[in-house]
Amino acid sequence: MSETPKGLEPQLSSSSSQPEPERGLHPSALFQLHLPTQEPAEANHQQQQQQTELGLQPLPGTNVEQQQADERTKTAWIKYQCPLSLFILGFCSCAAILGMTYYLHHFLHKNQAAVVTPCSSPACQRASAHLSMAADPFTHPCDYFMFSCGPDSEGHHRGQNMQGHQRAKSRGRQSKTREDRHVKEKSTLDRKTELFQYIREILESNDSLTSSAVQKAKSFYRSCLDTRSLDTAGVEPFLTLIQKLGGWPVSGQWNQTDFNVTLSVLMRDYATFPFFNLYVGKDPNDNASMMTKRYIEIDQPDLLIPIEWNSKTQKSQARTETLRPFLASCQRYLALLGAPASNNMIHVGMFISLSSELAVAATPLSHRMAKGQLYQRMTIKELQHKAPAVDWLGCLQAAFHPQPLMEDDHVLLHNLPYIVQMSRTIAKWLTRHELSNSGPLHTFMVLNLLHTLMPALDSRISDTANNLSETLGHTGVRQHNLHFQNTFTVDGGALHQAAPRWKRCVLETERGFHRVLAYLFRENISGGEAEEMIYDILSSLKSQVHQLKWTDDETLEFVMKKVKSITPRLVTTKEISNEAELDLLFSQVSVRVQSFFSNYLQLLSLWQKRRSKLLNEQNDGTDILSVSPSLLGNDLIIPMGMFIPPLFHPTYPRAMNYGVVGFLFAKDVLHLLLPEIYSQSESVRAVGECVWSHYLTVTGKEKSALPLPAAQQQEVWLQYSALQIALKAYKESLTKQPADTSVSGFSLTRLFFMSFSQVNCHTDPDHHLMPLEPSFLISAICAKSRLCPTNLECPKTTQRYLALGC
């Protein structure tokens, strides 16, 4: 008998164990008696004939009359005995059926619980401890479902009953409740945070049997954490580096190096782009046959000076209240670098003046999109003609060495007016003879280099930057992100300067040892569990979409064509097949545990090689810091960052993997494929209103709540459907592989829902559209489903609660 996991079979109700006439229970045909239809004499004659044919003789001492009389007596007895026999056998049949029902209901479920193998892997043991701290929706549903998401959710968290009964308890009980809630909130899942935590665990593990490349990545991370060594070294490593660049005017020792030569060195060796930014990407205007072509993208830089966009003048500007703290921070930098106090202010003034002139031409992304200034294609030769102050071919060849570049190669501009204005500004400052000894352009580049190397410098440098950030926050003025963010950036995104040191070190390690981490990620999902789940989720999603009520057949045909055309592609690193190749790739890297500055310089060199290789790669690279899928044409790009513990592990029970990552994957795909489904399907409004009504009933807010707007109804439908899709996909997986393991002895369905219940509002960038936390959807699913292990009933609202189902 194949195993049927506990909790996935519909539970037999207790009433089925009692005989009910209206159910039409009848004895089996095998136990029914057929009454004689012949006369007694005929029956006697036939019996004698059968005995003769079988060679049986009448008993001695009897005559025929006596035998006939006996037969008549026997026939009469049988005639009266049949109804009694029918009753007895019918009763026995009913008893047998009821006994079988009792056996199935009690013993088979008990056997099913026994055959579900407990998962004992280290990952499952950690997951068991994690679940023990998490809130259980099946134990305290009244408290568990009384919270919300969105902008009005502040103060309403898991375990905090919004009806206020917690406030009536004693102070000691309140303290215990707050402590429990804190533990529960810490146990909820945030994908980006969990991803950083997972990388941190890899880098902090002490496995001495790993490859040398992995050990180098771990040593780099440890050297990054060693801030004591950084403070001991002070600013001397940076001053030594400045001397390699020819000195600088601030110290009075400068070789007056050529502007373009210094700029090329900064771009090639130190990943520093003071006057413009560089990316690698595709042109969305290319036709399908050219989708593999990649271009160098040139954009405005991340200027150090804090600026904001003035919508009236259509220009960027700096306010006086921001210039003063910025000026003070610049003075602090120069003082820490040993600049003489006598001419400190002169260099700071020129730096701010030059920065302000460049900032005027910088514009926000939305403005450039409206003006059609993105993806302007031209050759390097044409760019040189429009912005002659920069040696474009020499600088780009340095930044993308050893890739061959020619003047006729095309590049993509994302703000040509800024590039033109930047060239004019540089030319003006180069030709100002009164500033020839002050070198403002060189000082500008050195201070940008200081910003690049800040993670590897004395903490006094980073403290100065943090103080400026806090000051700007207090004044209510923040620097706008004006530069263009490509779909794939080399650094994988930026962290706030005040982020925990370990997070910054994780990010820096990923920048340099990206392939090491990608290889380790691939090892985690190499067993095929992720691919199988992706297939099951997409199959369930297509079925779910097809069953919706659409506005018309044309819309259904359009949507189904769109859904069926996608091709899932799990992005993994394929260029490295084993640890030997990984070690060879990093054989030239030398990591010193107590010298993070030198390690960081090597990281910047690795980063340059990675950027250069992207120019000719056919795929999109392996962005392991991504946690959600994306669309590229008809390809559904699925990052490895989705499949990491504690969200996913190949040794987990499938119930856990489908309950968390299955739901998140289904939700992300629905967001990508059906962004406007509210206007296309009648089901969205119906389900959204139903779930919202269910929530209001449980929380007792029917009278005070307003109807949900369309965007929130769509988000409620989307997440409700994603949970249904994940559950259906899991059930389908069990038809193919009936066996599954369990954690902490939970039934499979309960384990599925408990894992899902750890998903909170903030796992989705559009969480502000969700008026209730996703875990409440368990309540809506269980209201109409017999699959839930227990009734999710809140005693205060039981009657209303059970009547609802969406």
Side-chain angles (χ1 to χ4, degrees):
M1 179 181 294
S2 62
E3 176 188 355
T4 303
K6 179 181 179 182
L8 287 171
E9 287 290 337
Q11 302 294 324
L12 297 174
S13 62
S14 59
S15 59
S16 65
S17 61
Q18 300 297 331
E20 296 179 15
E22 67 271 19
R23 292 196 176 191
L25 294 178
H26 299 289
S28 171
L30 295 175
F31 293 97
Q32 293 179 3
L33 293 178
H34 297 280
L35 298 180
T37 58
Q38 298 171 314
E39 292 295 329
E42 296 177 355
N44 181 48
H45 176 72
Q46 185 175 359
Q47 182 181 10
Q48 290 182 12
Q49 185 178 1
Q50 291 174 348
Q51 288 177 346
T52 302
E53 291 174 354
L54 293 173
L56 299 179
Q57 300 296 328
L59 293 174
T62 62
N63 53 41
V64 176
E65 291 86 4
Q66 182 65 35
Q67 290 180 6
Q68 291 177 348
D70 292 340
E71 290 296 332
R72 285 195 295 272
T73 304
K74 187 182 298 182
T75 300
W77 169 246
I78 293 175
K79 184 176 181 180
Y80 289 101
Q81 186 184 28
C82 283
L84 179 61
S85 301
L86 180 63
F87 173 78
I88 294 173
L89 290 177
F91 178 80
C92 292
S93 300
C94 291
I97 293 174
L98 294 176
M100 182 67 69
T101 301
Y102 178 84
Y103 172 82
L104 290 173
H105 184 66
H106 291 279
F107 291 94
L108 285 187
H109 281 288
K110 181 178 180 180
N111 290 339
Q112 288 168 3
V115 297
V116 175
T117 307
C119 178
S120 58
S121 70
C124 284
Q125 292 175 6
R126 290 192 294 269
S128 178
H130 189 81
L131 286 176
S132 67
M133 296 188 299
D136 184 357
F138 301 102
T139 304
H140 303 291
C142 288
D143 294 342
Y144 191 81
F145 295 127
M146 303 287 186
F147 49 85
S148 60
C149 276
D152 299 327
S153 64
E154 186 173 358
H156 303 315
H157 300 287
R158 234 166 249 190
Q160 179 180 1
N161 191 317
M162 293 196 297
Q163 294 180 349
H165 69 276
Q166 296 279 7
R167 293 190 296 269
K169 297 180 180 180
S170 66
R171 184 179 301 272
R173 186 72 173 273
Q174 287 179 340
S175 177
K176 182 65 165 62
T177 302
R178 286 194 296 268
E179 181 181 349
D180 292 342
R181 185 170 69 245
H182 178 68
V183 173
K184 292 174 183 178
E185 289 173 356
K186 287 184 64 177
S187 67
T188 57
L189 300 175
D190 178 84
R191 285 191 274 184
K192 202 70 174 182
T193 299
E194 296 293 350
L195 176 59
F196 272 81
Q197 287 282 6
Y198 177 62
I199 299 176
R200 180 186 186 182
E201 290 180 7
I202 292 177
L203 297 174
E204 292 183 355
S205 62
N206 293 319
D207 186 2
S208 59
L209 300 179
T210 56
S211 69
S212 63
V214 175
Q215 292 297 333
K216 289 176 181 179
K218 293 181 178 181
S219 297
F220 178 89
Y221 173 77
R222 287 194 293 269
S223 69
C224 178
L225 292 177
D226 187 10
T227 56
R228 180 177 299 179
S229 296
L230 293 179
D231 291 341
T232 301
V235 296
E236 287 303 319
F238 185 72
L239 294 177
T240 302
L241 179 59
I242 292 177
Q243 294 304 314
K244 288 181 59 177
L245 296 174
W248 67 329
V250 175
S251 65
Q253 298 178 354
W254 179 41
N255 297 338
Q256 297 195 10
T257 52
D258 179 76
F259 165 77
N260 277 293
V261 171
T262 303
L263 181 60
S264 297
V265 172
L266 293 181
M267 294 170 64
R268 182 192 64 209
D269 297 336
Y270 307 110
T272 299
F273 307 94
F275 298 100
F276 51 86
N277 261 331
L278 295 181
Y279 308 108
V280 174
K282 299 176 181 178
D283 187 352
N285 300 316
D286 279 346
N287 56 42
S289 62
M290 297 180 63
M291 284 302 292
T292 57
K293 174 67 176 177
R294 291 182 176 275
Y295 300 91
I296 297 173
E297 303 179 51
I298 304 174
D299 194 13
Q300 62 190 34
D302 301 316
L303 294 169
L304 301 183
I305 186 172
I307 57 177
E308 64 179 6
W309 176 249
N310 189 322
S311 58
K312 294 182 179 180
T313 62
Q314 296 288 289
K315 291 184 178 181
S316 297
Q317 64 184 27
R319 290 185 180 178
T320 304
E321 58 266 35
T322 65
L323 286 178
R324 289 173 179 172
F326 181 67
L327 185 149
S329 66
C330 292
Q331 289 180 306
R332 174 65 174 166
Y333 290 140
L334 295 186
L336 291 173
L337 295 175
S342 57
N343 59 358
N344 189 318
M345 190 61 191
I346 297 176
H347 294 286
V348 170
M350 288 189 294
F351 173 74
I352 292 179
S353 179
L354 176 57
S355 299
S356 299
E357 288 190 35
L358 294 172
V360 171
T363 55
L365 175 60
S366 58
H367 177 80
R368 285 176 280 154
M369 291 179 65
K371 295 290 185 178
Q373 295 175 347
L374 302 181
Y375 298 103
Q376 291 184 263
R377 188 188 303 187
M378 64 180 62
T379 65
I380 298 177
K381 185 176 181 179
E382 291 172 335
L383 176 60
Q384 187 67 53
H385 177 72
K386 292 182 178 294
V390 175
D391 177 13
W392 289 103
L393 182 61
C395 287
L396 295 179
Q397 286 176 337
F400 291 93
H401 178 78
Q403 300 294 338
L405 293 176
M406 307 294 291
E407 285 185 337
D408 294 332
D409 289 334
H410 285 87
V411 294
L412 302 177
L413 278 296
H414 296 306
N415 190 349
L416 181 58
Y418 167 83
I419 297 298
V420 172
Q421 180 62 32
M422 174 207 67
S423 176
R424 293 172 181 168
T425 303
I426 291 175
K428 182 183 71 173
W429 284 74
L430 283 174
T431 56
R432 292 179 64 177
H433 299 289
E434 70 274 14
L435 300 177
S436 58
N437 293 326
S438 300
L441 292 173
H442 192 81
T443 299
F444 183 88
M445 290 188 284
V446 170
L447 289 178
N448 274 269
L449 177 62
L450 176 71
H451 186 267
T452 300
L453 298 176
M454 194 172 293
L457 291 174
D458 186 346
S459 60
R460 294 174 297 174
I461 302 291
S462 57
D463 288 344
T464 303
N466 291 337
N467 292 336
L468 174 62
S469 178
E470 292 179 3
T471 302
L472 295 179
H474 292 323
T475 60
V477 178
R478 296 183 183 275
Q479 183 174 357
H480 286 263
N481 184 15
L482 298 174
H483 68 282
F484 174 82
Q485 283 292 352
N486 194 14
T487 53
F488 181 87
T489 54
V490 177
D491 63 355
L495 287 176
H496 190 272
Q497 192 67 31
R501 180 71 184 182
W502 72 265
K503 277 192 175 183
R504 292 197 59 83
C505 292
V506 164
L507 182 60
E508 302 298 353
T509 306
E510 189 277 336
R511 289 171 64 188
F513 295 89
H514 162 82
R515 293 186 181 179
V516 173
L517 296 178
Y519 175 80
L520 296 175
F521 273 37
R522 188 188 69 182
E523 292 297 298
N524 184 56
I525 61 174
S526 60
E529 289 80 4
E531 291 91 338
E532 179 185 352
M533 185 177 69
I534 291 170
Y535 173 84
D536 291 339
I537 292 293
L538 290 179
S539 177
S540 176
L541 184 145
K542 293 174 183 178
S543 175
Q544 183 87 355
V545 171
H546 191 272
Q547 295 173 6
L548 296 177
K549 294 181 180 179
W550 297 92
T551 53
D552 51 65
D553 292 338
E554 292 182 359
T555 302
L556 171 61
E557 182 180 357
F558 171 78
V559 171
M560 290 307 300
K561 182 178 180 181
K562 181 179 181 181
V563 172
K564 291 180 179 179
S565 65
I566 63 171
T567 302
R569 182 155 64 89
L570 180 59
V571 180
T572 58
T573 176
K574 298 179 180 179
E575 65 271 17
I576 301 174
S577 59
N578 54 55
E579 291 186 351
E581 295 181 6
L582 193 67
D583 292 343
L584 180 62
L585 183 65
F586 288 89
S587 60
Q588 301 300 317
V589 177
S590 176
V591 178
R592 299 167 56 189
V593 177
Q594 294 184 338
S595 180
F596 182 59
F597 186 84
S598 63
N599 296 341
Y600 197 76
L601 294 183
Q602 290 189 78
L603 175 143
L604 297 178
S605 177
L606 292 173
W607 189 17
Q608 183 274 335
K609 293 178 181 178
R610 179 181 173 188
R611 182 181 61 246
S612 177
K613 187 175 181 180
L614 281 176
L615 197 57
N616 286 334
E617 281 190 348
Q618 296 300 310
N619 56 42
D620 294 298
T622 309
D623 184 8
I624 64 173
L625 293 181
S626 177
V627 293
S628 58
S630 60
L631 280 175
L632 181 62
N634 290 331
D635 287 344
L636 181 65
I637 309 300
I638 306 170
M640 292 189 294
M642 292 188 66
F643 305 97
I644 52 97
L647 286 73
F648 177 95
H649 196 273
T651 66
Y652 280 170
R654 297 201 307 280
M656 293 183 63
N657 287 334
Y658 281 75
V660 179
V661 177
F663 163 79
L664 294 174
F665 177 62
K667 175 174 64 67
D668 290 338
V669 174
L670 288 175
H671 269 296
L672 289 172
L673 298 180
L674 305 174
E676 301 176 354
I677 191 172
Y678 185 84
S679 61
Q680 298 172 326
S681 173
E682 302 172 2
S683 304
V684 177
R685 178 177 179 180
V687 172
E689 290 180 345
C690 178
V691 174
W692 181 239
S693 176
H694 189 179
Y695 175 79
L696 296 179
T697 299
V698 173
T699 57
K701 291 184 172 183
E702 302 98 322
K703 298 181 180 179
S704 60
L706 297 175
L708 289 181
Q712 289 188 323
Q713 287 185 12
Q714 175 169 312
E715 188 65 22
V716 170
W717 169 86
L718 189 144
Q719 299 205 22
Y720 181 76
S721 299
L723 181 58
Q724 288 182 313
I725 289 169
L727 181 58
K728 181 180 179 182
Y730 177 56
K731 290 162 60 181
E732 290 296 324
S733 77
L734 288 172
T735 62
K736 296 180 292 185
Q737 301 180 49
D740 196 6
T741 57
S742 183
V743 167
S744 301
F746 293 118
S747 67
L748 300 183
T749 306
R750 182 167 184 172
L751 188 58
F752 175 94
F753 283 122
M754 283 192 65
S755 300
F756 164 75
S757 69
Q758 299 171 74
V759 177
N760 66 357
C761 299
H762 302 289
T763 55
D764 187 353
D766 299 318
H767 67 271
H768 59 282
L769 296 176
M770 189 69 173
L772 45 90
E773 274 213 20
S775 53
F776 179 79
L777 300 175
I778 301 174
S779 171
I781 292 287
C782 291
K784 72 168 187 177
S785 173
R786 300 179 66 188
L787 292 176
C788 294
T790 60
N791 288 329
L792 286 177
E793 301 177 7
C794 181
K796 299 179 182 180
T797 58
T798 298
Q799 297 302 319
R800 295 174 296 172
Y801 184 90
L802 292 178
L804 293 170
C806 303

